Amino acid sequence: MNNSSWQGGKGVIAGGALAATALLLGAAADAATSQKLRYRFDSVSDPVTTVVDDSGKGHTGTVQTASGGEVVPVAGADGLGVQFPEVCTGAGCPRAVITAADAAALNPGTAPFTFGARVRLTLDDLTADHGSNLVQKGLYDTAQWKLQIDDAATGKPSCVVRTENGADAIKVKSPVGVADGAWHKVSCRRTSSELILLIDNVPQNSKPIAASYDISPTGEEVSIGAKSAGNNNDQYHGALDDVYFNLD
């Protein structure tokens, strides 16, 4: 496929807010004061090899693959998006991930932040064999922020954060799924008191988080579409667009 401009629709999920104040928070989800990373994917090659950081901060994304895996451009939520390898289970499956090097600006510590992506997938893009990691920095045994879909039956996303050495994990799972073939914006927001999961800017669930809870995955790379290109990599099999990380 040659590089070209595509146009795609934006999906909307109907969902009630947790409270009137949560509605206001959801409406302001894009009003971040400091954008640190953004991948719009509108100038990628086919197959994708590198991704420009549209935040201007220079966090270039690099595609890593194994067993014939590729990341390819597709019609996105706005312009181009990217598609990851189709569902496969067992040994030797195609694997692909987009990574960006560690940077201090992507280690929020105790500061409020928001991160997320636009996703498009169906239930056929999910498998009980493994989870589907969308975007993360850090692993289960390090400090971490992560957005994933680990519910193969209904496609419900969840936000996960961990402090030093993977301790005191906090997980917030959506009560509704997004695996309906439409584009949906899924995001995680950490405030001074809550970790909130939003779909299409509407808060779906939250858990309390202490103001002192430190999320500093120092030395860990950002991974998009999987946690790595290695075995057991929790490969995502759908499409992504507009991946971002903001300090609020």
Side-chain angles (χ1 to χ4, degrees):
M1 186 178 86
N2 294 325
N3 287 343
S4 59
S5 293
W6 292 71
Q7 296 297 324
K10 295 181 180 179
V12 176
I13 282 185
L18 301 178
T21 53
L23 271 174
L24 292 174
L25 173 62
D30 285 329
T33 58
S34 183
Q35 189 169 99
K36 299 302 182 182
L37 179 148
R38 192 165 209 127
Y39 297 140
R40 298 186 186 276
F41 304 110
D42 289 337
S43 58
V44 293
S45 61
D46 183 8
V48 181
T49 56
T50 59
V51 183
V52 173
D53 177 9
D54 294 296
S55 76
K57 304 300 191 300
H59 305 300
T60 301
T62 302
V63 175
Q64 301 178 28
T65 64
S67 301
E70 288 185 325
V71 178
V72 298
V74 293
D78 181 14
L80 288 177
V82 292
Q83 177 72 44
F84 289 84
E86 63 184 25
V87 170
C88 175
T89 60
C93 286
R95 302 185 295 275
V97 63
I98 301 170
T99 64
D102 175 45
L106 305 177
N107 302 323
T110 59
F113 65 97
T114 305
F115 67 98
R118 295 188 185 272
V119 304
R120 185 185 66 196
L121 71 156
T122 68
L123 289 177
D124 290 338
D125 296 317
L126 297 167
T127 172
D129 182 70
H130 57 257
S132 297
N133 290 11
L134 301 175
V135 56
Q136 68 189 86
K137 191 174 193 297
L139 301 169
Y140 75 96
D141 57 353
T142 73
Q144 179 188 63
W145 48 263
K146 178 171 70 167
L147 174 60
Q148 63 187 9
I149 298 176
D150 56 359
D151 183 337
T154 56
K156 297 174 181 177
S158 58
C159 303
V160 181
V161 295
R162 303 175 193 270
T163 191
E164 186 177 4
N165 299 320
D168 302 322
I170 300 173
K171 180 178 179 179
V172 179
K173 185 173 181 178
S174 170
V176 298
V178 293
D180 58 5
W183 283 103
H184 297 291
K185 181 178 180 181
V186 184
S187 53
C188 306
R189 169 166 279 198
R190 186 257 171 92
T191 71
S192 62
S193 60
E194 290 183 293
L195 179 66
I196 306 165
L197 186 148
L198 305 96
I199 298 177
D200 298 324
N201 292 333
V202 178
Q204 300 293 334
N205 199 2
S206 68
K207 284 189 177 179
I209 186 170
S212 60
Y213 189 96
D214 191 302
I215 306 168
S216 298
T218 303
E220 302 297 325
E221 64 186 9
V222 176
S223 300
I224 296 165
K227 63 185 177 185
S228 71
N231 292 322
N232 304 313
N233 69 332
D234 288 332
Q235 182 71 60
Y236 174 61
H237 302 290
L240 288 178
D241 195 1
D242 199 22
V243 177
Y244 69 96
F245 177 90
N246 298 333
L247 286 181
D248 294 343

